[in-house]
Amino acid sequence: MTPHPPQPLGPVVLVGGGLAAGTCAVTLRELGYDGEVVLLAAEPHLPYERPPLSKGYLLGDAELDSVYVRSGAWYDEHHVDVRVGSPATAVDLDAHTVSTAEGPVRYARLLLATGAAPRRLAMADDSGAPVRYLRDIEDSRRIKAELRPGARVVVVGGGWIGLEVAAAARAAGCEVVVLEALEQPLVRVLGDRLGRMFADLHREHGVDVRTGVSVTSFAPEGEGTAVGLGDGSSLTADLVLVGIGATPGTGLAAAAGLKVEDGIVVDEYLRTSHPDVLAAGDVASAYHPRLGRHLRVEHWDNAIEQGRAAARTLLGDEQPYEHQPYFFTDQYDLGMEYVGNVGPDGFGELVVRGDLASRVFTAFWVKADRVLAGMQANDWDATDAIRRLVAADHVDLARLRDAGVPLDEVAG
Ligand code: FAD
């Protein structure tokens, strides 16, 4: 990384104990900034990564030690003042202070990286039934303990987290039902054909995937939950997981008077409507120069890259954030990576190279002569070419459609 002369800023305060805030702290030090850095984390943990919470850790393949961005010793050695269990309760933009239960913290520059929280299902919360959500270490620990052989698991919502938990539950020997309101799981992100492929993948592994289903009630039943469905039937579950998306943690920013729409609105340098305050990660709706619109991305890679970009802006080295959105998932023996963003206007054509049934393929969401997004499933060498295709201003579609032309040659 190129060293930048650190700016004499005064204290930098990072609010949020997740990947974006943790990465920003690390990058500030890597770039040579040796001024005061305070990181306020609501959770009782050092900044950590969440993907293992629905995969490796839940499956028993990974320990929690592996999820932390840096060890406690690293923050001590680098004089980063991490205050865990210390949420910011208010921001005073004029006074340049953040309130906490222990008193105000003064900042010269502030990063808000407050992340997102699971969207709640009021009907489930109000029922008194033991319904689970998955966002943090405690949620994952609890769910892991409940994934016992023979346990009946009902997953409400066929999104990424719901499907990953379904896979982990099958691996633990549970009986699993996935309830999805739309015609296929993941249909909003991947479209009908690839959504169906994920449904088939789970069915092959013994999951009862039900699509076009409405959930009408939850009620405590013994130690578990009765889940009522729109067709009048009901399911009995030992564990109900609700995975219906996430909402950005914008409360602090909105109360301070910062511009908030779907997330905290920031420019391509991650600056909010106040020049001394930045936002990054799941909570930030950032202007993306290449896409020509604001985009809020709830992905691991985005939290890292925006954490780094925020550090650069904080030090006065402003470079537009133009990174392509990137996402990965692992379910059973299917690993996939997805690059790009289809956007609100949709795509014209889905080009698939390879064989969906064998689960080794690449897929491209195309509009006119542009590739808006691409993914690979179990074809790990394809990712660089996919990135080049998504970055290209023009793609030869005839060659892309011809699986006989190697992807590297299409990408140029
Ligand atoms: P967060 O990780 O949400 O961190 C924000 C932190 O800020 C939280 O700890 C919160 O408690 C804290 N906070 C909130 N308000 C305050 C306050 N007022 N004061 C102080 N602290 C506050 N992405 C992928 O690309 N691939 C995956 O496979 C994948 N798997 C995932 C699995 C799970 C179970 C989950 C939950 C997410 C997954 N993600 C995945 C998404 C990825 O984890 C997020 O995009 C990433 O965590 C975002 O980082 P962040 O720092 O912006 O927010």
Side-chain angles (χ1 to χ4, degrees), residues 15-22 40-43 48-55 86-89 113-117 134-136 161 164 249 252 280-283 297-303 326-330:
V15 173
L19 188 54
L40 300 173
E43 291 185 58
Y48 64 93
E49 306 197 1
R50 297 178 199 272
L53 303 186
S54 55
K55 305 180 196 61
S86 180
T89 52
T114 45
L134 176 51
R135 184 75 194 179
D136 61 28
I161 287 179
E164 288 173 2
L252 202 60
D282 280 12
V283 78
V297 179
E298 288 178 1
H299 296 337
W300 168 88
D301 172 73
N302 177 71
Y326 163 91
F327 173 78
F328 68 93
T329 186
D330 296 309

Side-chain angles (χ1 to χ4, degrees), residues 19-21 23-24 27 270 280-281 302-312:
L19 188 54
T23 304
C24 183
T27 310
L270 307 182
N302 177 71
I304 294 174
E305 294 299 332
Q306 288 196 343
R308 290 182 180 144
R312 288 193 295 270

Side-chain angles (χ1 to χ4, degrees), residues 56-385:
Y57 175 68
L58 213 50
L59 286 159
D61 297 342
E63 293 303 322
L64 279 179
D65 307 354
S66 64
V67 302
Y68 295 98
V69 176
R70 286 292 186 277
S71 65
W74 186 92
Y75 296 102
D76 291 345
E77 282 161 20
H78 292 81
H79 308 290
V80 175
D81 180 2
V82 182
R83 304 184 193 174
V84 299
S86 180
T89 52
V91 175
D92 185 329
L93 297 174
D94 295 330
H96 278 57
T97 54
V98 176
S99 304
T100 71
E102 293 78 38
V105 184
R106 204 180 72 73
Y107 66 85
R109 299 274 174 85
L110 175 68
L111 173 71
L112 297 176
T114 45
R119 182 169 296 133
R120 311 291 300 196
L121 192 56
M123 180 189 7
D125 293 348
D126 297 345
S127 71
V131 169
R132 305 280 179 243
Y133 297 84
L134 176 51
R135 184 75 194 179
D136 61 28
I137 285 179
E138 284 70 28
D139 297 334
S140 183
R141 273 202 185 113
R142 196 178 302 123
I143 291 167
K144 186 176 179 181
E146 291 171 339
L147 295 183
R148 288 185 289 269
R152 295 159 300 177
V153 176
V154 170
V155 175
V156 179
W160 299 115
I161 287 179
L163 293 183
E164 288 173 2
V165 172
R170 285 301 296 149
C174 306
E175 292 171 25
V176 184
V177 182
V178 171
L179 303 173
E180 168 56 51
L182 299 178
E183 59 277 22
Q184 297 297 342
L186 303 170
V187 72
R188 285 211 182 97
V189 197
L190 299 181
D192 187 70
R193 197 168 158 203
L194 286 169
R196 194 174 326 122
M197 186 216 66
F198 271 95
D200 290 346
L201 173 74
H202 280 266
R203 287 183 181 126
E204 282 166 25
H205 285 84
V207 177
D208 178 359
V209 180
R210 304 190 191 180
T211 56
V213 180
S214 61
V215 179
T216 53
S217 66
F218 295 84
E221 188 178 285
E223 304 222 322
T225 303
V227 182
L229 305 181
D231 64 1
S233 66
S234 80
L235 296 162
T236 303
D238 300 303
L239 166 63
V240 174
L241 175 92
V242 176
I244 54 169
T247 47
T250 53
L252 202 60
L258 295 169
K259 187 172 180 197
V260 167
E261 281 167 7
D262 169 38
I264 303 174
V265 178
V266 295
D267 66 12
E268 62 268 50
Y269 306 105
L270 307 182
R271 289 178 307 218
T272 66
S273 50
H274 190 286
D276 294 332
V277 184
L278 277 66
D282 280 12
V283 78
S285 174
Y287 182 75
H288 196 288
R290 177 153 174 89
L291 298 174
R293 58 185 156 86
H294 282 79
L295 185 66
R296 194 171 68 76
V297 179
E298 288 178 1
H299 296 337
W300 168 88
D301 172 73
N302 177 71
I304 294 174
E305 294 299 332
Q306 288 196 343
R308 290 182 180 144
R312 288 193 295 270
T313 299
L314 286 166
L315 296 181
D317 176 23
E318 298 184 346
Q319 299 170 22
Y321 183 80
E322 296 183 289
H323 187 69
Q324 292 165 347
Y326 163 91
F327 173 78
F328 68 93
T329 186
D330 296 309
Q331 294 170 36
Y332 311 106
D333 51 1
L334 181 113
M336 79 93 153
E337 294 179 299
Y338 178 102
V339 179
N341 182 270
V342 170
D345 300 332
F347 62 97
E349 180 186 349
L350 176 72
V351 176
V352 175
R353 294 164 64 97
D355 178 19
L356 286 193
S358 70
R359 314 255 153 74
V360 183
F361 64 90
T362 53
F364 300 88
W365 289 260
V366 172
K367 191 165 197 178
D369 62 350
R370 291 273 315 272
V371 173
L372 303 177
M375 74 173 258
Q376 62 84 3
N378 293 334
D379 186 359
W380 298 95
D381 293 339
T383 307
D384 286 345

